[in-house]
Amino acid sequence: MISSELLKRFAGARRVTVLTGAGVSAESGVPTFRDAQTGLWANFKAEDLATPRAFRRNPRLVWEWYEWRRKLVAEANPNPAHLALAEMEPLFPNFQLITQNVDGLHQRAGSRRVIELHGSITRTRCFDEGTVVSSWEDTGEVPPKCPRCGGLLRPDVVWFEEPMPQAEMGRALAASVHCDVFLSIGTSALVYPAASLPVEALRGGATVVEINPQRTPFTEQAKFVLTGAAGVVLPELVADLKRASRA
Ligand code: BV8
C-alpha cells in the first residue's frame, strides 16, 4: 500500500526524476549484475568482462558475451515495471527517466524521455573510431571489423573504468538536483557516478524514494522505502497516482 504521505508528495510535484538499475529488467528475465552468471558464463564475473582491458585481452570472449546478452534482450519483453514507468511519464509536467540499463526495454515499453547513462547493447561502435556502426560485412571474424577503418567492433556501452558520456551525465545530474520527487528503482547503488544521483537529489531537497526487494547502501538515506519487486510496486503506485489525479 502506498502511504498517503508519499502520495501527497507526488500530488505537489511538478518535476519527477527516476533512476533505474538492472532490477527493473529482472522480471523480464534479464539477469542483474548481482545475479551469478549462468551457463557458459558461470565462471566469469560481469565486472571482469565489461572493461576495455578485458576486450583488449580477449575481444572474442567479450564480443560473444554481449552477443549472448543481446539475444537474451531481443527475446525479453518489457515487464509491468517498464510499462508502469511509461504510464507515469505523462502524469507530470517535467518527468525524466535515467537508466543504468543497456537493454533498451524502457523505450520498448513506451518511455520517451530516457537518458541511457551506460549506453546500449542494441548499438555497436568501432573500438578505434568511437563512432556507431549500423551494418558491417559478416566475414565470420569475431569480433567483426569496422567497415570504415578495419578496427574491431564493440558494444556501444560504457565499460567499467571508461569515462561517462558527458552530455547524458550532465542532463542526469541536472534532473537529479532539480526535482521534487526522485525514485531510485532496482539498483544496488554500488556503481558510480550513477549511485551519486539519489544523493544529489537529496541535496537538492527532493523527496527520495527507493524501490527494491533488498536493502542497499542508500536505503537508510531514502525518505520512503517501498520494499518489493518493481513489477509489483510500480503498477500499484501508478494506479494510486491516477486515482488521486481524478479525485
Ligand atoms: C567512471 C554497462 C571515471 C556495461 C555498466 C577505477 C578507475 C575509474 C573508475 C573506477 C575505478 N574504480 C571504481 C571506479 C568507478 C566505477 C565503479 O563504480 N565501479 C564499481 C564496480 C565500484 N565506475 C566506472 O568505472 C564508471 N566510469 O567512473 O569514469 C573515469 C574518468 C576518466 C577516465 C576513466 C574513468 C563507469 C561505470 C559504468 C559501468 N557499466 N554497464 C554493461 O552493461 O555491460 S554498469 C552495470 O553494472 C549496469 O549498467 C549497472 O549500472 C551496474 C549494475 O548495477 P545495478 O543496475 O544496480 O544492478 P545490480 O545487479 O547491481 O543490482 C540489481 C538491484 O536490483 C539489486 O539491488 C536487487 O536487489 C534489485 N532487484 C532485483 N530484482 C528486483 C530488484 N529491484 C526491483 N525489482 C526487482 N524485481
Side-chain angles (χ1 to χ4, degrees), residues 20-24 26-27 32-35 47 50 65-66 69 100-102 118 157-164 185-193 211-214 216 228-231:
T20 61
V24 162
E27 291 158 86
T32 72
F33 272 64
R34 297 308 119 196
D35 293 333
E47 279 85 7
W65 180 53
Y66 280 92
R69 289 174 63 194
Q100 301 173 80
N101 301 337
V102 296
H118 294 156
V157 298
V158 181
W159 277 329
F160 288 100
E161 294 160 35
E162 280 194 319
M164 299 296 284
I185 312 172
T187 178
S188 60
L190 293 172
V191 173
Y192 284 83
I211 301 176
N212 196 316
Q214 316 269 341
T216 74

Side-chain angles (χ1 to χ4, degrees), residues 119-178:
S120 173
I121 56 171
T122 61
R123 292 190 303 269
T124 298
R125 73 172 194 245
C126 172
F127 187 81
D128 297 337
E129 296 173 325
T131 41
V132 171
V133 175
S134 45
S135 66
W136 56 85
E137 192 195 343
D138 182 359
T139 61
E141 291 171 297
V142 178
K145 296 279 176 44
C146 170
R148 286 186 296 269
C149 76
L152 293 179
L153 295 185
R154 58 163 285 178
D156 189 26
V157 298
V158 181
W159 277 329
F160 288 100
E161 294 160 35
E162 280 194 319
M164 299 296 284
Q166 297 247 325
E168 286 78 0
M169 197 56 215
R171 287 171 50 217
L173 208 47
S176 302
V177 172
H178 307 295

